[in-house]
Amino acid sequence: MALATGMASAHPAGLTSPAFVNGKTIPSHYTCLGAAVSPPLRFGHLPAATQGLVLIAWAGKPPQAQWVLYDLPPEAPGLWENVPLGVEPGLFFQGRNGLDRLGYSPPCAGLRYTFVLYALDVPGMGLTPGASYREVFQKMQGHVLQKFELVGYSGEGPPTVY
């Protein structure tokens, strides 16, 4: 099961990771230089009206979707490390990213990688498993209550030019 469970309390920030600090380097284990597995993420402090969640990871300039998860339940405290490829029926769906692939596409050297958690006022997108990031992004328009960002950098930190 990819959803984190059994956690004692919600995290004070909307989106955090025990693997790295916001604005700092993502450990190589979670990049294309290491095992290339997704990092653990923690959700918390969501608006009371939240009925569903979408997580999209963006990288590059212009930003390209690297990982797309939708129909996450608002009570989910987060995701474990190394979310399996594909869909988790009853838990959430993974969509196709900007590379037209399912699953996590890890950051590579010098990239700014931004995980964005969108709190929605609807419980689900009404999309089939494997929807494109464009379909997910378009479907959630007008339903975003709040978004939370967690920024990490691959390599030695922020690039000198971005």
Side-chain angles (χ1 to χ4, degrees):
M1 180 196 265
L3 292 173
T5 58
M7 303 182 79
S9 63
H11 295 269
L15 180 60
T16 60
S17 177
F20 66 98
V21 175
N22 188 37
K24 301 295 183 183
T25 302
I26 298 171
S28 62
H29 180 70
Y30 306 106
T31 73
C32 66
L33 301 174
V37 298
S38 60
L41 299 172
R42 302 294 179 255
F43 310 154
H45 213 65
L46 302 173
T50 302
Q51 294 185 43
L53 301 170
V54 168
L55 179 83
I56 301 178
W58 302 92
K61 190 172 185 177
Q64 183 179 49
Q66 300 293 304
W67 194 27
V68 181
L69 296 97
Y70 55 100
D71 292 358
L72 288 147
E75 62 276 3
L79 296 165
W80 289 122
E81 177 180 289
N82 197 16
V83 171
L85 181 65
V87 300
E88 292 289 320
L91 298 177
F92 60 85
F93 298 117
Q94 289 193 59
R96 292 186 323 276
N97 61 27
L99 304 170
D100 201 32
R101 297 183 199 148
L102 287 177
Y104 177 73
S105 290
C108 290
L111 277 183
R112 178 179 194 228
Y113 207 83
T114 305
F115 297 89
V116 183
L117 181 67
Y118 300 89
L120 308 177
D121 65 0
V122 292
M125 298 283 87
L127 297 168
T128 58
S132 74
Y133 78 94
R134 285 185 179 99
E135 292 172 302
V136 173
F137 199 74
Q138 182 178 8
K139 192 79 169 185
M140 68 185 207
Q141 296 308 302
H143 296 287
V144 178
L145 297 169
Q146 191 170 358
K147 71 178 188 175
F148 303 92
E149 293 186 358
L150 175 63
V151 176
Y153 295 90
S154 59
E156 296 301 316
T160 54
V161 177
Y162 186 71

